[in-house]
């Protein structure tokens, strides 16, 4: 199947700093990518939809100025957590793939720990 | 969005078959039934999907009820590496993202 990568796999940062997470579709082009967040012992929650060449669409309750999304090419979307705080510590996962019932492919996830 | 209902957890013995049920009584005609699984500290992994007919692949089989209001994911011989949270998700039409419920946590005993 298709491959989606994420970098870094884990990051530890100090409170107040910004962290950038990359999501790449390695063998296919993705006009749309999705960013999810997963807290311990909970399910994945959609944060935003990343659209190539246009603004991202954010879910209710997700601050667009705090979670900056850039989808500059058909194979790369980035999520920047600005001014990170301990409550932003979570497992961030991206996905890409077809719509209309086709398979979604997920990245391996990025574990963020904010001290 | 149509929702699914799954048991919170199930246990299986290694090398025995596992049947993971999913109810989706409000499924629409354009919804595909997708199954993903998530191993600890990893992103979800696609397992199988179907629309109306039963489906088989190298990982599992998907049995879909005739009225499509329920389905069952079948792992023919569970291994320790199959221990994961299994998500049954309805997905289709113009919908883009997947909506995850709580899934079923499968434990496999040696």
């Amino acid at each position: 199947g298709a491959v989606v990568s994420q970098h870094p796999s884990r990051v530890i940062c100090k409170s107040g700093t910004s962290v950038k997470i990359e999501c790449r579709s390695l063998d296919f082009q993705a006009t749309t990518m999705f960013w999810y967040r997963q807290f311990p012992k909970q399910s994945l929650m959609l944060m935003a939809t990343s659209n190539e060449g246009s603004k991202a669409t954010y879910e209710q309750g997700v601050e667009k100025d705090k979670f900056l999304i850039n989808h500059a090419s058909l194979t790369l979307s980035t999520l920047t957590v600005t001014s990170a705080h301990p409550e932003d510590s979570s497992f961030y996962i991206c996905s890409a793939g077809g719509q209309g019932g086709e398979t979604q492919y997920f990245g391996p996830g990025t574990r963020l720990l904010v001290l | 969005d149509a929702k699914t209902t799954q048991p919170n957890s199930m246990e299986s013995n290694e090398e025995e078959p596992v049947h993971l049920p999913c109810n989706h009584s409000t499924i629409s005609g354009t919804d595909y039934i997708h199954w993903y699984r998530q191993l600890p500290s990893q992103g979800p992994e696609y397992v199988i999907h179907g629309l109306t007919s039963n489906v088989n692949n190298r990982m599992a089989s998907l049995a879909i009820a005739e009225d499509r209001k329920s389905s069952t994911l079948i792992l023919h011989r569970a291994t320790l590496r199959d221990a994961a949270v299994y998500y049954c998700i309805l997905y289709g039409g113009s919908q883009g993202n997947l909506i995850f419920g709580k899934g079923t946590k499968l434990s496999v005993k040696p």
Side-chain angles (χ1 to χ4, degrees), chain A:
Chain A
V3 178
V4 175
S5 70
Q6 280 185 244
H7 177 79
S9 58
R10 61 178 62 209
V11 58
I12 301 173
C13 69
K14 292 182 179 179
S15 184
T17 61
S18 294
V19 174
K20 180 185 284 188
I21 303 170
E22 293 186 347
C23 176
R24 293 182 185 272
S25 56
L26 297 184
D27 51 0
F28 66 101
Q29 295 182 331
T31 56
T32 302
M33 291 183 175
F34 301 98
W35 286 96
Y36 296 82
R37 180 167 54 182
Q38 186 176 32
F39 292 107
K41 300 190 184 300
Q42 295 187 23
S43 191
L44 282 77
M45 293 296 295
L46 180 69
M47 298 176 65
T49 302
S50 172
N51 304 298
E52 189 269 335
S54 65
K55 291 182 179 181
T57 305
Y58 291 82
E59 295 300 296
Q60 190 172 9
V62 178
E63 300 175 54
K64 63 179 181 178
D65 294 330
K66 180 171 181 63
F67 298 97
L68 301 179
I69 291 174
N70 184 282
H71 195 153
S73 78
L74 288 171
T75 59
L76 173 64
S77 174
T78 61
L79 168 68
T80 301
V81 183
T82 62
S83 187
H85 289 95
E87 57 265 31
D88 298 323
S89 299
S90 188
F91 193 45
Y92 292 85
I93 306 167
C94 69
S95 76
Q99 298 188 15
E102 296 302 314
T103 303
Q104 283 278 317
Y105 298 98
F106 287 83
T110 297
R111 178 80 59 189
L112 170 63
L113 176 60
V114 184
L115 302 176

